[in-house]
Amino acid sequence: MRDRARAMLIDLDGVLRRWDPAPMIAVEVQYGLKPASLLETSMSWDIYRPAMAGEITDEEWMSLVASRLPLDEAESAAAVAAWQAYRGEVDPEVLAFVREVRAAGRPVAIATNATDRLRGDLDALGLTDEVDEVISSWELKVHKPAKEFFTQACLKVGKLPKHVLMVDDDDRAVQGARTAGLTGYRWAGPEHLPYLRKVLDLPE
């Protein structure tokens, strides 16, 4: 039987922060862009990877996205700015769980692939003081699912990998965490919170 987890790493996007697709759809309709073109363009690996790995800034990444849209320069910049104005919403159930974990004496860290915009987003969302550590790929210069990311994350929470739970909605990140010796859990929604409470040995 595995050791009980004594700390939790939690992904931001898709777990603690959720995104309403409506604002992005509205921008694409307004500017006559194909559905999902903003997201697909931004996730192009040749520009997404350096943005997550700390090689370019968020502003530079978004400039590259704008340059690839089938619009003139001014319209492209305006479309990207309008899209990026919405910064998502905190999932209240997940935040309540984070607070429960911390109240039980287990440190919690946000562990996410992110750009240099992350700290500002956390402030705006009211999350900065809700966790013990923030582990950002942009700051580490290495991104999930690399083993080094998880090694550094465990050092930051002061626990051995076997005592750390990683909750993520990306299969590759979960597998990366497991390869690094952590307990990796694929997030699918709040219905799995009772199981995670057991993994963390939280009081009933």
Side-chain angles (χ1 to χ4, degrees):
M1 183 177 175
R2 289 189 64 95
D3 292 295
R4 293 290 188 182
R6 300 176 187 170
M8 180 172 72
L9 307 178
I10 190 165
D11 185 34
L12 181 61
D13 293 321
V15 184
L16 188 50
R17 171 167 64 178
R18 58 193 184 190
W19 297 91
D20 183 344
M24 182 180 71
I25 293 169
V27 172
E28 289 170 341
V29 169
Q30 180 182 351
Y31 287 90
L33 296 167
K34 292 180 181 178
S37 58
L38 286 167
L39 189 59
E40 289 173 2
T41 302
S42 70
M43 298 295 283
S44 298
W45 188 242
D46 64 319
I47 60 174
Y48 175 72
R49 190 206 61 79
M52 298 301 111
E55 296 171 11
I56 61 175
T57 65
D58 191 274
E59 184 178 357
E60 290 169 330
W61 179 34
M62 287 300 116
S63 292
L64 290 168
V65 172
S67 72
R68 297 183 177 193
L69 297 178
L71 303 169
D72 65 40
E73 186 175 346
E75 281 189 319
S76 292
V80 169
W83 170 46
Q84 289 292 293
Y86 170 63
R87 303 311 298 165
E89 301 153 13
V90 176
D91 187 312
E93 283 189 83
V94 181
L95 179 57
F97 176 60
V98 167
R99 290 171 175 168
E100 182 183 347
V101 175
R102 295 183 76 204
R106 318 280 193 273
V108 176
I110 288 172
T112 185
N113 287 342
T115 70
D116 57 323
R117 192 167 182 175
L118 174 63
R119 299 281 179 169
D121 278 1
L122 295 180
D123 283 345
L125 292 167
L127 289 174
T128 299
D129 295 327
E130 295 285 0
V131 293
D132 299 285
E133 293 284 347
V134 175
I135 297 138
S136 161
S137 64
W138 199 89
E139 294 171 6
L140 291 182
K141 310 303 181 191
V142 60
H143 56 87
K144 296 182 290 184
K147 182 178 180 180
E148 180 62 18
F149 178 94
F150 297 106
T151 300
Q152 291 295 321
C154 291
L155 289 173
K156 283 185 176 292
V157 296
K159 304 293 181 184
L160 295 172
K162 68 178 181 177
H163 294 143
V164 179
L165 167 68
M166 176 76 223
V167 180
D168 205 299
D169 66 330
D170 186 321
D171 279 328
R172 292 180 306 157
V174 171
Q175 291 302 321
R178 291 172 179 168
T179 299
L182 292 74
T183 298
Y185 185 81
R186 168 75 157 76
W187 178 256
E191 64 269 20
H192 297 292
L193 288 175
Y195 173 77
L196 294 178
R197 289 187 179 96
K198 292 180 181 178
V199 174
L200 287 155
D201 198 24
L202 297 183
E204 295 293 334

